[in-house]
């Protein structure tokens, strides 16, 4: 009999969000050997049911996230800052001792609190439920709603120490049969955050990612128009305002003849933004022709843009505290990493050397194809860990 | 096929190069030129000493009688013209006095601003040097702490019989 599995996630259908993309791949892989429902809180008035490929997508009405409330709770309870520039991660490194009620408010401030979703989990006969996003109401309240005889798995989804170490998450992690991550580095970081006691539950299931090679330039190598690309979601005002200074500083500091191109949804509102690059295939056109793809964001879960650049044999330059993106650059020998802008500019200068660029690009391409390009292996691995 | 290139090694090299370049880089300075103070400018002195209009006509002295008569006539004519244009010359004199006073104020303010800019540049230079020194000390301390921690971890591993990674 085919198993019934639910994937309860904080976000799902945003191709520019690491957690969404990972959940999408995970649900797709599970759908090869199980009936899969994806449960997601959304801005809807009543339950909406749709199909996403082989998965049934259930959208539950939920409280919307308010960025100001979230920022306020982070500042008051954790001592963080509202906006973080790319190169200045100000997250506190140690969790504070907080009362449980305050910790719960920190979780609720993430948005997506959906009693209807928890009720659905409580009453539906799923064989297993995968919760995505440790520091979210979906995982916190959803795990509590799940009957004791049901299997539960947890995908932390890029949790920083300041929130991952909160005491209220201990019960969520204790209930999970496995804590699923997609890179070795994320596994190590997760053990650091949750403590060595949980190490045997952390399981790396990998990830799968592909690109459409049709957009790649006909003649590989350095293109006449030289630029570096930063790809991300620029739609939120905090995303644009928080990084505007950093980006203009980078544009001024880049070597002569090398421009800066920002791609992704909302990029056209920024000075170096390329319009009409909200679709990934349009962003790939620019990425595949870049001197390098720069990912300055810290604590990446998947490092999607980095892997995509590697699939196009384009070297990457990533933040030294970039999490998954740093791991890809280092493990795959496909790019360089930096701590300060001078190092980033020096890395771009080095990549203008055709030989260095070509060798790093080719090494990165091999790594990305071998480690993240085999769908069959990923599907088998997911089935083995979750259904085996 | 070209030999493999180590991203880790390349990054280490780049970081070292950037650190060396930073160490060699002299502190930025505004490159303010050495200018004379405007208050001592000779043109300003000339304007200050010559802005009063001379309104007493020069009469002729000595000589033949007919020349003295001619001089007296010219003097009277000049006095007549000056009396007719007296109000115009008063206004003109007042205007020139204001212009010179403004020029003196502008001169004093320019000199004052120039001195303040130099003071500010000197303060920024000192602060930049202080921050650079503090940064170097902080980095050295961090390196020391990292080394100490690494030694501690190695000691613990050795003590527990775990193979070093």
């Amino acid at each position: 009999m085919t198993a019934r599995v639910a994937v309860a996630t904080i976000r799902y259908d945003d191709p520019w969000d690491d957690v969404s993309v990972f959940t999408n791949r995970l649900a797709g892989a599970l759908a090869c050997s199980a009936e899969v429902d994806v449960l997601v809180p959304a801005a809807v008035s009543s339950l909406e049911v749709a199909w996403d490929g082989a998965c049934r997508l259930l959208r539950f009405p939920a409280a919307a996230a308010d960025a100001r409330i979230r920022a306020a709770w982070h500042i008051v309870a954790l001592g963080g800052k509202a906006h973080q520039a790319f190169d200045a991660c100000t997250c506190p490194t140690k969790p504070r001792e907080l009362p449980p009620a305050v910790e719960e408010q920190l979780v609720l401030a993430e948005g997506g609190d959906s009693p209807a979703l928890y009720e659905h989990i409580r009453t539906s006969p799923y064989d297993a439920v995968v919760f995505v996003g440790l520091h979210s109401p979906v995982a916190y309240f959803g795990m509590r709603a799940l009957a004791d005889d049901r299997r539960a798995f947890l995908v932390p989804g890029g949790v920083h120490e300041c929130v991952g170490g909160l005491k209220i998450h201990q019960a969520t992690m204790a209930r999970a049969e496995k804590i699923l991550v997609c890179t070795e580095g994320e596994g190590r970081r997760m053990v650091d955050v949750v403590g060595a006691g949980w190490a045997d539950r952390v399981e790396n299931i990998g990830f799968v990612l592909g690109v459409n090679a049709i957009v790649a330039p006909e003649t590989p190598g350095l293109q006449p128009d030289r630029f570096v690309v930063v790809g991300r979601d620029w739609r939120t005002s905090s995303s644009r305002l928080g990084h505007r200074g950093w980006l203009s500083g980078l544009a001024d500091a880049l070597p002569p003849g090398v421009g800066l191109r920002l791609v992704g949804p909302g990029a056209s509102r920024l000075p170096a933004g390329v319009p009409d690059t909200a679709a990934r295939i349009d962003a790939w056109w620019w990425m595949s022709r870049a001197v390098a793809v720069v990912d300055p964001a810290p604590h990446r879960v998947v490092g999607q843009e980095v892997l995509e650049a590697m699939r196009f044999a384009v070297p990457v330059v990533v933040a030294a505290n970039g999490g998954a993106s740093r791991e890809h650059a280092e493990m795959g020998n496909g790019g360089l990493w930096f701590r300060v802008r001078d190092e980033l500019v020096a890395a771009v200068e080095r990549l203008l050397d055709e030989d260095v660029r070509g060798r790093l690009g080719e090494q990165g391409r091999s790594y990305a194809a071998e480690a993240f390009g085999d769908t069959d292996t990923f599907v088998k691995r997911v089935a083995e860990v979750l259904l085996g | 096929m070209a030999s493999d290139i180590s991203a880790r090694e390349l990054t280490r090299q780049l970081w070292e190069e950037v650190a060396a370049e930073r160490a060699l880089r002299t502190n930025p300075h505004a490159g303010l030129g050495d200018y004379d103070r405007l208050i001592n400018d000779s043109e300003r002195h000339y304007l200050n000493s010559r802005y009063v209009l001379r309104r007493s006509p020069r009469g002729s002295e000595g000589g033949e009688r007919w020349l003295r008569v001619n001089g007296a006539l010219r003097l009277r004519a000049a006095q007549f013209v000056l009396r007719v244009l007296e109000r115009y010359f008063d206004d003109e004199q007042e205007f020139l006095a204001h212009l010179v006073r403004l020029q003196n104020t502008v001169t004093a303010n320019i000199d004052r601003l120039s001195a303040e800019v130099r003071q500010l540049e000197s303060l920024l230079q000192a602060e930049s040097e202080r921050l650079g020194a503090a940064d170097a000390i902080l980095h050295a301390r961090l390196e020391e702490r990292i080394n100490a921690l690494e030694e501690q971890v190695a000691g613990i591993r050795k003590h527990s019989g775990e193979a070093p990674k």
Side-chain angles (χ1 to χ4, degrees), chain A residues 330 333 335-337 339 342-343 346-347 350 356 359-360 363, chain B residues 3-8 10-11 13-15 17-18 22 25:
Chain A
E330 194 168 357
N333 280 320
L336 308 168
W337 47 99
R339 296 165 299 184
D342 284 353
E343 289 167 356
R350 186 62 56 93
V356 174
R359 285 157 76 187
L360 282 176
Q363 286 171 182
Chain B
S3 60
D4 281 357
I5 187 167
S6 164
R8 195 175 297 173
L10 203 54
T11 302
Q13 277 175 17
L14 278 176
W15 286 13
E17 283 170 21
V18 170
R22 281 183 150 194
R25 202 182 292 166

PDB file of all heavy atoms in Angstrom, chain A residues 330 333 335-337 339 342-343 346-347 350 356 359-360 363, chain B residues 3-8 10-11 13-15 17-18 22 25:
ATOM      1  N   GLU A 330      34.237  25.683  -1.772  1.00  0.00           N
ATOM      2  CA  GLU A 330      35.425  25.049  -1.194  1.00  0.00           C
ATOM      3  C   GLU A 330      35.523  23.571  -1.589  1.00  0.00           C
ATOM      4  O   GLU A 330      36.560  23.113  -2.046  1.00  0.00           O
ATOM      5  CB  GLU A 330      35.377  25.203   0.339  1.00  0.00           C
ATOM      6  CG  GLU A 330      36.691  24.901   1.003  1.00  0.00           C
ATOM      7  CD  GLU A 330      36.725  25.318   2.467  1.00  0.00           C
ATOM      8  OE1 GLU A 330      35.737  25.909   2.953  1.00  0.00           O
ATOM      9  OE2 GLU A 330      37.743  25.032   3.124  1.00  0.00           O
ATOM     10  N   ASN A 333      35.989  23.228  -5.348  1.00  0.00           N
ATOM     11  CA  ASN A 333      37.088  24.000  -5.946  1.00  0.00           C
ATOM     12  C   ASN A 333      36.581  24.841  -7.113  1.00  0.00           C
ATOM     13  O   ASN A 333      37.259  24.977  -8.136  1.00  0.00           O
ATOM     14  CB  ASN A 333      38.204  23.080  -6.426  1.00  0.00           C
ATOM     15  CG  ASN A 333      39.092  22.643  -5.281  1.00  0.00           C
ATOM     16  OD1 ASN A 333      39.406  23.444  -4.400  1.00  0.00           O
ATOM     17  ND2 ASN A 333      39.477  21.377  -5.266  1.00  0.00           N
ATOM     18  N   GLY A 335      35.318  28.104  -6.774  1.00  0.00           N
ATOM     19  CA  GLY A 335      35.212  29.541  -6.533  1.00  0.00           C
ATOM     20  C   GLY A 335      36.047  29.969  -5.351  1.00  0.00           C
ATOM     21  O   GLY A 335      36.755  29.173  -4.745  1.00  0.00           O
ATOM     22  N   LEU A 336      35.937  31.244  -5.037  1.00  0.00           N
ATOM     23  CA  LEU A 336      36.733  31.837  -3.960  1.00  0.00           C
ATOM     24  C   LEU A 336      35.777  32.429  -2.932  1.00  0.00           C
ATOM     25  O   LEU A 336      34.595  32.615  -3.217  1.00  0.00           O
ATOM     26  CB  LEU A 336      37.636  32.927  -4.542  1.00  0.00           C
ATOM     27  CG  LEU A 336      38.480  32.465  -5.733  1.00  0.00           C
ATOM     28  CD1 LEU A 336      39.110  33.670  -6.425  1.00  0.00           C
ATOM     29  CD2 LEU A 336      39.554  31.498  -5.290  1.00  0.00           C
ATOM     30  N   TRP A 337      36.285  32.736  -1.755  1.00  0.00           N
ATOM     31  CA  TRP A 337      35.430  33.324  -0.737  1.00  0.00           C
ATOM     32  C   TRP A 337      36.138  34.514  -0.102  1.00  0.00           C
ATOM     33  O   TRP A 337      37.355  34.613  -0.159  1.00  0.00           O
ATOM     34  CB  TRP A 337      34.976  32.291   0.298  1.00  0.00           C
ATOM     35  CG  TRP A 337      36.024  31.400   0.860  1.00  0.00           C
ATOM     36  CD1 TRP A 337      36.658  31.538   2.041  1.00  0.00           C
ATOM     37  CD2 TRP A 337      36.549  30.207   0.260  1.00  0.00           C
ATOM     38  NE1 TRP A 337      37.552  30.510   2.213  1.00  0.00           N
ATOM     39  CE2 TRP A 337      37.505  29.681   1.139  1.00  0.00           C
ATOM     40  CE3 TRP A 337      36.313  29.529  -0.942  1.00  0.00           C
ATOM     41  CZ2 TRP A 337      38.229  28.521   0.871  1.00  0.00           C
ATOM     42  CZ3 TRP A 337      37.033  28.371  -1.204  1.00  0.00           C
ATOM     43  CH2 TRP A 337      37.973  27.870  -0.313  1.00  0.00           C
ATOM     44  N   ARG A 339      36.005  37.869   3.048  1.00  0.00           N
ATOM     45  CA  ARG A 339      35.473  38.399   4.318  1.00  0.00           C
ATOM     46  C   ARG A 339      35.139  39.880   4.165  1.00  0.00           C
ATOM     47  O   ARG A 339      34.155  40.357   4.681  1.00  0.00           O
ATOM     48  CB  ARG A 339      36.498  38.222   5.439  1.00  0.00           C
ATOM     49  CG  ARG A 339      36.806  36.765   5.743  1.00  0.00           C
ATOM     50  CD  ARG A 339      38.055  36.644   6.562  1.00  0.00           C
ATOM     51  NE  ARG A 339      39.212  37.176   5.853  1.00  0.00           N
ATOM     52  CZ  ARG A 339      40.460  37.129   6.308  1.00  0.00           C
ATOM     53  NH1 ARG A 339      40.716  36.575   7.480  1.00  0.00           N
ATOM     54  NH2 ARG A 339      41.448  37.630   5.600  1.00  0.00           N
ATOM     55  N   ASP A 342      37.628  44.276  -0.078  1.00  0.00           N
ATOM     56  CA  ASP A 342      38.916  44.235  -0.771  1.00  0.00           C
ATOM     57  C   ASP A 342      39.222  42.830  -1.280  1.00  0.00           C
ATOM     58  O   ASP A 342      39.760  42.648  -2.372  1.00  0.00           O
ATOM     59  CB  ASP A 342      40.042  44.677   0.176  1.00  0.00           C
ATOM     60  CG  ASP A 342      40.044  46.185   0.372  1.00  0.00           C
ATOM     61  OD1 ASP A 342      39.279  46.851  -0.329  1.00  0.00           O
ATOM     62  OD2 ASP A 342      40.802  46.666   1.223  1.00  0.00           O
ATOM     63  N   GLU A 343      38.876  41.833  -0.447  1.00  0.00           N
ATOM     64  CA  GLU A 343      39.125  40.440  -0.857  1.00  0.00           C
ATOM     65  C   GLU A 343      38.194  40.036  -1.999  1.00  0.00           C
ATOM     66  O   GLU A 343      38.597  39.304  -2.901  1.00  0.00           O
ATOM     67  CB  GLU A 343      38.932  39.513   0.346  1.00  0.00           C
ATOM     68  CG  GLU A 343      40.047  39.664   1.370  1.00  0.00           C
ATOM     69  CD  GLU A 343      39.756  39.006   2.711  1.00  0.00           C
ATOM     70  OE1 GLU A 343      38.648  38.482   2.898  1.00  0.00           O
ATOM     71  OE2 GLU A 343      40.649  39.033   3.581  1.00  0.00           O
ATOM     72  N   ALA A 346      39.634  41.633  -5.091  1.00  0.00           N
ATOM     73  CA  ALA A 346      40.845  40.909  -5.494  1.00  0.00           C
ATOM     74  C   ALA A 346      40.477  39.572  -6.141  1.00  0.00           C
ATOM     75  O   ALA A 346      41.115  39.153  -7.119  1.00  0.00           O
ATOM     76  CB  ALA A 346      41.736  40.676  -4.277  1.00  0.00           C
ATOM     77  N   ALA A 347      39.438  38.928  -5.628  1.00  0.00           N
ATOM     78  CA  ALA A 347      38.995  37.645  -6.213  1.00  0.00           C
ATOM     79  C   ALA A 347      38.486  37.847  -7.639  1.00  0.00           C
ATOM     80  O   ALA A 347      38.809  37.074  -8.544  1.00  0.00           O
ATOM     81  CB  ALA A 347      37.908  37.030  -5.338  1.00  0.00           C
ATOM     82  N   ARG A 350      41.364  38.370  -9.937  1.00  0.00           N
ATOM     83  CA  ARG A 350      42.039  37.104 -10.238  1.00  0.00           C
ATOM     84  C   ARG A 350      41.256  36.294 -11.281  1.00  0.00           C
ATOM     85  O   ARG A 350      41.833  35.628 -12.127  1.00  0.00           O
ATOM     86  CB  ARG A 350      42.210  36.301  -8.942  1.00  0.00           C
ATOM     87  CG  ARG A 350      43.017  35.013  -9.077  1.00  0.00           C
ATOM     88  CD  ARG A 350      44.444  35.265  -9.527  1.00  0.00           C
ATOM     89  NE  ARG A 350      45.160  36.170  -8.658  1.00  0.00           N
ATOM     90  CZ  ARG A 350      45.914  35.774  -7.627  1.00  0.00           C
ATOM     91  NH1 ARG A 350      46.053  34.505  -7.370  1.00  0.00           N
ATOM     92  NH2 ARG A 350      46.546  36.662  -6.880  1.00  0.00           N
ATOM     93  N   VAL A 356      42.717  30.816 -14.874  1.00  0.00           N
ATOM     94  CA  VAL A 356      42.182  30.576 -13.516  1.00  0.00           C
ATOM     95  C   VAL A 356      40.671  30.426 -13.585  1.00  0.00           C
ATOM     96  O   VAL A 356      40.092  29.499 -12.993  1.00  0.00           O
ATOM     97  CB  VAL A 356      42.566  31.745 -12.570  1.00  0.00           C
ATOM     98  CG1 VAL A 356      41.891  31.588 -11.216  1.00  0.00           C
ATOM     99  CG2 VAL A 356      44.065  31.828 -12.403  1.00  0.00           C
ATOM    100  N   ARG A 359      39.652  27.045 -15.228  1.00  0.00           N
ATOM    101  CA  ARG A 359      39.900  25.850 -14.407  1.00  0.00           C
ATOM    102  C   ARG A 359      38.938  25.776 -13.218  1.00  0.00           C
ATOM    103  O   ARG A 359      38.370  24.721 -12.932  1.00  0.00           O
ATOM    104  CB  ARG A 359      41.357  25.837 -13.926  1.00  0.00           C
ATOM    105  CG  ARG A 359      42.310  25.453 -15.065  1.00  0.00           C
ATOM    106  CD  ARG A 359      43.706  25.938 -14.820  1.00  0.00           C
ATOM    107  NE  ARG A 359      44.397  25.113 -13.840  1.00  0.00           N
ATOM    108  CZ  ARG A 359      45.599  25.417 -13.339  1.00  0.00           C
ATOM    109  NH1 ARG A 359      46.202  26.518 -13.716  1.00  0.00           N
ATOM    110  NH2 ARG A 359      46.178  24.637 -12.474  1.00  0.00           N
ATOM    111  N   LEU A 360      38.754  26.914 -12.541  1.00  0.00           N
ATOM    112  CA  LEU A 360      37.798  26.920 -11.421  1.00  0.00           C
ATOM    113  C   LEU A 360      36.379  26.599 -11.913  1.00  0.00           C
ATOM    114  O   LEU A 360      35.648  25.834 -11.281  1.00  0.00           O
ATOM    115  CB  LEU A 360      37.795  28.279 -10.714  1.00  0.00           C
ATOM    116  CG  LEU A 360      38.946  28.574  -9.760  1.00  0.00           C
ATOM    117  CD1 LEU A 360      38.833  29.996  -9.228  1.00  0.00           C
ATOM    118  CD2 LEU A 360      38.982  27.605  -8.584  1.00  0.00           C
ATOM    119  N   GLN A 363      36.055  22.880 -12.708  1.00  0.00           N
ATOM    120  CA  GLN A 363      36.021  22.070 -11.472  1.00  0.00           C
ATOM    121  C   GLN A 363      34.653  22.208 -10.792  1.00  0.00           C
ATOM    122  O   GLN A 363      34.089  21.227 -10.305  1.00  0.00           O
ATOM    123  CB  GLN A 363      37.131  22.533 -10.516  1.00  0.00           C
ATOM    124  CG  GLN A 363      38.500  22.099 -10.978  1.00  0.00           C
ATOM    125  CD  GLN A 363      39.641  22.714 -10.181  1.00  0.00           C
ATOM    126  OE1 GLN A 363      40.788  22.471 -10.480  1.00  0.00           O
ATOM    127  NE2 GLN A 363      39.361  23.521  -9.182  1.00  0.00           N
TER     128      GLN A 363
ATOM    129  N   SER B   3      45.911  21.032 -14.878  1.00  0.00           N
ATOM    130  CA  SER B   3      45.923  20.436 -13.538  1.00  0.00           C
ATOM    131  C   SER B   3      44.902  21.136 -12.643  1.00  0.00           C
ATOM    132  O   SER B   3      44.477  22.258 -12.916  1.00  0.00           O
ATOM    133  CB  SER B   3      47.312  20.561 -12.944  1.00  0.00           C
ATOM    134  OG  SER B   3      47.645  21.925 -12.871  1.00  0.00           O
ATOM    135  N   ASP B   4      44.532  20.417 -11.569  1.00  0.00           N
ATOM    136  CA  ASP B   4      43.530  20.971 -10.650  1.00  0.00           C
ATOM    137  C   ASP B   4      44.068  22.218  -9.954  1.00  0.00           C
ATOM    138  O   ASP B   4      45.265  22.353  -9.741  1.00  0.00           O
ATOM    139  CB  ASP B   4      43.164  19.927  -9.606  1.00  0.00           C
ATOM    140  CG  ASP B   4      42.196  18.910 -10.187  1.00  0.00           C
ATOM    141  OD1 ASP B   4      41.808  19.090 -11.353  1.00  0.00           O
ATOM    142  OD2 ASP B   4      41.866  17.937  -9.490  1.00  0.00           O
ATOM    143  N   ILE B   5      43.175  23.075  -9.629  1.00  0.00           N
ATOM    144  CA  ILE B   5      43.549  24.296  -8.922  1.00  0.00           C
ATOM    145  C   ILE B   5      42.793  24.275  -7.589  1.00  0.00           C
ATOM    146  O   ILE B   5      41.617  23.927  -7.544  1.00  0.00           O
ATOM    147  CB  ILE B   5      43.201  25.530  -9.787  1.00  0.00           C
ATOM    148  CG1 ILE B   5      43.731  26.803  -9.168  1.00  0.00           C
ATOM    149  CG2 ILE B   5      41.750  25.664 -10.062  1.00  0.00           C
ATOM    150  CD1 ILE B   5      43.675  27.973 -10.148  1.00  0.00           C
ATOM    151  N   SER B   6      43.492  24.592  -6.502  1.00  0.00           N
ATOM    152  CA  SER B   6      42.863  24.522  -5.188  1.00  0.00           C
ATOM    153  C   SER B   6      42.237  25.860  -4.831  1.00  0.00           C
ATOM    154  O   SER B   6      42.931  26.875  -4.711  1.00  0.00           O
ATOM    155  CB  SER B   6      43.906  24.125  -4.135  1.00  0.00           C
ATOM    156  OG  SER B   6      43.394  24.408  -2.856  1.00  0.00           O
ATOM    157  N   ALA B   7      40.922  25.850  -4.669  1.00  0.00           N
ATOM    158  CA  ALA B   7      40.219  27.089  -4.301  1.00  0.00           C
ATOM    159  C   ALA B   7      40.698  27.574  -2.935  1.00  0.00           C
ATOM    160  O   ALA B   7      40.835  28.784  -2.713  1.00  0.00           O
ATOM    161  CB  ALA B   7      38.717  26.833  -4.270  1.00  0.00           C
ATOM    162  N   ARG B   8      40.954  26.627  -2.049  1.00  0.00           N
ATOM    163  CA  ARG B   8      41.387  27.000  -0.691  1.00  0.00           C
ATOM    164  C   ARG B   8      42.740  27.719  -0.747  1.00  0.00           C
ATOM    165  O   ARG B   8      42.930  28.755  -0.126  1.00  0.00           O
ATOM    166  CB  ARG B   8      41.485  25.736   0.163  1.00  0.00           C
ATOM    167  CG  ARG B   8      41.576  26.022   1.638  1.00  0.00           C
ATOM    168  CD  ARG B   8      41.539  24.758   2.445  1.00  0.00           C
ATOM    169  NE  ARG B   8      40.281  24.044   2.280  1.00  0.00           N
ATOM    170  CZ  ARG B   8      40.045  22.835   2.765  1.00  0.00           C
ATOM    171  NH1 ARG B   8      40.986  22.194   3.408  1.00  0.00           N
ATOM    172  NH2 ARG B   8      38.881  22.246   2.586  1.00  0.00           N
ATOM    173  N   LEU B  10      44.118  29.187  -3.362  1.00  0.00           N
ATOM    174  CA  LEU B  10      43.975  30.448  -4.097  1.00  0.00           C
ATOM    175  C   LEU B  10      43.379  31.530  -3.187  1.00  0.00           C
ATOM    176  O   LEU B  10      43.833  32.683  -3.181  1.00  0.00           O
ATOM    177  CB  LEU B  10      43.060  30.217  -5.303  1.00  0.00           C
ATOM    178  CG  LEU B  10      43.184  31.166  -6.481  1.00  0.00           C
ATOM    179  CD1 LEU B  10      44.611  31.248  -6.978  1.00  0.00           C
ATOM    180  CD2 LEU B  10      42.264  30.723  -7.611  1.00  0.00           C
ATOM    181  N   THR B  11      42.384  31.137  -2.405  1.00  0.00           N
ATOM    182  CA  THR B  11      41.762  32.095  -1.481  1.00  0.00           C
ATOM    183  C   THR B  11      42.768  32.551  -0.425  1.00  0.00           C
ATOM    184  O   THR B  11      42.849  33.746  -0.103  1.00  0.00           O
ATOM    185  CB  THR B  11      40.535  31.457  -0.798  1.00  0.00           C
ATOM    186  OG1 THR B  11      39.617  31.052  -1.796  1.00  0.00           O
ATOM    187  CG2 THR B  11      39.843  32.436   0.132  1.00  0.00           C
ATOM    188  N   GLN B  13      46.008  32.679  -0.693  1.00  0.00           N
ATOM    189  CA  GLN B  13      46.953  33.603  -1.360  1.00  0.00           C
ATOM    190  C   GLN B  13      46.346  34.997  -1.489  1.00  0.00           C
ATOM    191  O   GLN B  13      46.994  35.995  -1.179  1.00  0.00           O
ATOM    192  CB  GLN B  13      47.269  33.099  -2.759  1.00  0.00           C
ATOM    193  CG  GLN B  13      48.342  32.045  -2.815  1.00  0.00           C
ATOM    194  CD  GLN B  13      48.498  31.534  -4.249  1.00  0.00           C
ATOM    195  OE1 GLN B  13      48.046  32.165  -5.200  1.00  0.00           O
ATOM    196  NE2 GLN B  13      49.105  30.374  -4.378  1.00  0.00           N
ATOM    197  N   LEU B  14      45.081  35.034  -1.943  1.00  0.00           N
ATOM    198  CA  LEU B  14      44.416  36.329  -2.136  1.00  0.00           C
ATOM    199  C   LEU B  14      44.293  37.089  -0.825  1.00  0.00           C
ATOM    200  O   LEU B  14      44.561  38.295  -0.768  1.00  0.00           O
ATOM    201  CB  LEU B  14      43.015  36.115  -2.716  1.00  0.00           C
ATOM    202  CG  LEU B  14      42.902  35.916  -4.210  1.00  0.00           C
ATOM    203  CD1 LEU B  14      41.460  35.634  -4.587  1.00  0.00           C
ATOM    204  CD2 LEU B  14      43.362  37.168  -4.942  1.00  0.00           C
ATOM    205  N   TRP B  15      43.908  36.377   0.219  1.00  0.00           N
ATOM    206  CA  TRP B  15      43.744  37.029   1.524  1.00  0.00           C
ATOM    207  C   TRP B  15      45.086  37.590   2.003  1.00  0.00           C
ATOM    208  O   TRP B  15      45.135  38.689   2.557  1.00  0.00           O
ATOM    209  CB  TRP B  15      43.184  36.037   2.555  1.00  0.00           C
ATOM    210  CG  TRP B  15      41.730  35.734   2.366  1.00  0.00           C
ATOM    211  CD1 TRP B  15      40.965  36.041   1.278  1.00  0.00           C
ATOM    212  CD2 TRP B  15      40.858  35.055   3.281  1.00  0.00           C
ATOM    213  NE1 TRP B  15      39.682  35.592   1.458  1.00  0.00           N
ATOM    214  CE2 TRP B  15      39.587  34.982   2.675  1.00  0.00           C
ATOM    215  CE3 TRP B  15      41.018  34.497   4.547  1.00  0.00           C
ATOM    216  CZ2 TRP B  15      38.498  34.377   3.301  1.00  0.00           C
ATOM    217  CZ3 TRP B  15      39.929  33.889   5.169  1.00  0.00           C
ATOM    218  CH2 TRP B  15      38.682  33.836   4.551  1.00  0.00           C
ATOM    219  N   GLU B  17      47.621  38.474   0.096  1.00  0.00           N
ATOM    220  CA  GLU B  17      47.975  39.617  -0.754  1.00  0.00           C
ATOM    221  C   GLU B  17      47.222  40.872  -0.330  1.00  0.00           C
ATOM    222  O   GLU B  17      47.795  41.956  -0.239  1.00  0.00           O
ATOM    223  CB  GLU B  17      47.653  39.303  -2.220  1.00  0.00           C
ATOM    224  CG  GLU B  17      48.671  38.395  -2.874  1.00  0.00           C
ATOM    225  CD  GLU B  17      48.211  37.905  -4.240  1.00  0.00           C
ATOM    226  OE1 GLU B  17      47.327  38.546  -4.847  1.00  0.00           O
ATOM    227  OE2 GLU B  17      48.724  36.862  -4.664  1.00  0.00           O
ATOM    228  N   VAL B  18      45.935  40.689  -0.070  1.00  0.00           N
ATOM    229  CA  VAL B  18      45.118  41.849   0.333  1.00  0.00           C
ATOM    230  C   VAL B  18      45.596  42.387   1.675  1.00  0.00           C
ATOM    231  O   VAL B  18      45.711  43.609   1.864  1.00  0.00           O
ATOM    232  CB  VAL B  18      43.619  41.457   0.398  1.00  0.00           C
ATOM    233  CG1 VAL B  18      42.790  42.563   1.052  1.00  0.00           C
ATOM    234  CG2 VAL B  18      43.089  41.180  -0.995  1.00  0.00           C
ATOM    235  N   ARG B  22      47.097  46.045   2.325  1.00  0.00           N
ATOM    236  CA  ARG B  22      46.488  46.929   3.323  1.00  0.00           C
ATOM    237  C   ARG B  22      47.549  47.461   4.280  1.00  0.00           C
ATOM    238  O   ARG B  22      47.489  48.608   4.700  1.00  0.00           O
ATOM    239  CB  ARG B  22      45.443  46.173   4.125  1.00  0.00           C
ATOM    240  CG  ARG B  22      44.134  46.029   3.398  1.00  0.00           C
ATOM    241  CD  ARG B  22      43.139  45.345   4.285  1.00  0.00           C
ATOM    242  NE  ARG B  22      41.794  45.786   3.993  1.00  0.00           N
ATOM    243  CZ  ARG B  22      40.749  45.569   4.770  1.00  0.00           C
ATOM    244  NH1 ARG B  22      40.900  44.947   5.910  1.00  0.00           N
ATOM    245  NH2 ARG B  22      39.553  45.976   4.426  1.00  0.00           N
ATOM    246  N   ARG B  25      49.517  50.094   2.562  1.00  0.00           N
ATOM    247  CA  ARG B  25      48.742  51.259   2.137  1.00  0.00           C
ATOM    248  C   ARG B  25      48.891  52.390   3.157  1.00  0.00           C
ATOM    249  O   ARG B  25      48.677  52.191   4.345  1.00  0.00           O
ATOM    250  CB  ARG B  25      47.269  50.869   2.020  1.00  0.00           C
ATOM    251  CG  ARG B  25      46.476  51.764   1.124  1.00  0.00           C
ATOM    252  CD  ARG B  25      45.043  51.328   1.111  1.00  0.00           C
ATOM    253  NE  ARG B  25      44.834  50.034   0.472  1.00  0.00           N
ATOM    254  CZ  ARG B  25      43.715  49.334   0.583  1.00  0.00           C
ATOM    255  NH1 ARG B  25      42.733  49.772   1.313  1.00  0.00           N
ATOM    256  NH2 ARG B  25      43.595  48.182  -0.033  1.00  0.00           N
TER     257      ARG B  25
END
